[in-house]
Amino acid sequence: MPKVSKVSKVFGRFAVAAWPVLAAAVMAWPLSAAAASFPCEKAKTAVELAICASPQVSELDEYLGRYYAAARVALKHADECLVADQRQWLQTLRNPCKTADCLQQAYLRRLSVLHAVQPGATRLRTVALPAEPQLVWIVPPAADQVAAPRNRPTRPWAAQGRIVDEVATGDG
């Protein structure tokens, strides 16, 4: 008969003791996998309640939470711009939605916009995203010296001299 080490005995007891906990975790996992990016028990607005009522929209909300967090890391130099863009999306596209279908389309469009700045591990592979212009980079206003050059003190340019009509004098 093979000799059983102390480690095997301890591990065997641990596996037997941990089995109920592991089984409970596995059974609860599918329920939390399709959860919104916020606790649904705290949902108050009509949009939040609609997100929690639809498993598809709830899953898209969780995906968007991951996409937005990854975009903030990728574009940390322009965090203020990204936050303002997200707020605008919430106010103009997501919050006016009254149906789950409208919410689903709004979420798919936002995911498509943020898709290009996602690291490989968080990219969606099972959801078909619509063709939308993708956010690739943000140039914060303070760093954009072409469109918004620094305000340097200047003085007006004044031309001095006289206008000569060379055609009238026969020289042109």
Side-chain angles (χ1 to χ4, degrees):
M1 182 161 195
K3 198 173 188 182
V4 178
S5 70
K6 288 182 181 180
V7 173
S8 296
K9 287 180 184 177
V10 171
F11 179 72
R13 283 188 216 136
F14 172 75
V16 171
W19 179 251
V21 174
L22 181 63
V26 169
M27 290 175 64
W29 181 73
L31 298 174
S32 65
S37 64
F38 58 92
C40 282
E41 58 273 1
K42 293 184 180 180
K44 293 180 182 171
T45 67
V47 173
E48 290 171 345
L49 293 169
I51 291 167
C52 292
S54 168
Q56 294 86 6
V57 177
S58 183
E59 185 176 31
L60 291 173
D61 185 69
E62 182 184 358
Y63 288 146
L64 184 59
R66 289 189 217 157
Y67 261 44
Y68 181 65
R72 287 188 74 175
V73 170
L75 303 170
K76 61 183 163 228
H77 66 283
D79 190 53
E80 289 178 29
C81 293
L82 184 62
V83 169
D85 188 56
Q86 183 74 4
R87 283 187 185 133
Q88 181 183 9
W89 173 79
L90 288 168
Q91 292 170 356
T92 60
L93 290 174
R94 188 197 80 168
N95 291 350
C97 285
K98 304 289 184 213
T99 66
D101 187 49
C102 177
L103 282 168
Q104 187 170 359
Q105 293 306 313
Y107 272 92
L108 288 172
R109 289 178 64 193
R110 185 62 178 167
L111 286 165
S112 182
V113 168
L114 297 176
H115 190 69
V117 293
Q118 297 308 304
T122 60
R123 280 187 159 212
L124 293 175
R125 300 193 193 330
T126 59
V127 177
L129 297 175
E132 290 284 326
Q134 294 187 344
L135 177 64
V136 178
W137 196 252
I138 295 176
V139 179
D144 189 356
Q145 296 299 312
V146 176
R150 289 195 177 126
N151 206 0
R152 296 185 186 106
T154 59
R155 23 175 251 229
W157 183 75
Q160 295 180 356
R162 58 188 181 117
I163 298 175
V164 178
D165 185 2
E166 293 177 343
V167 174
T169 59
D171 202 21

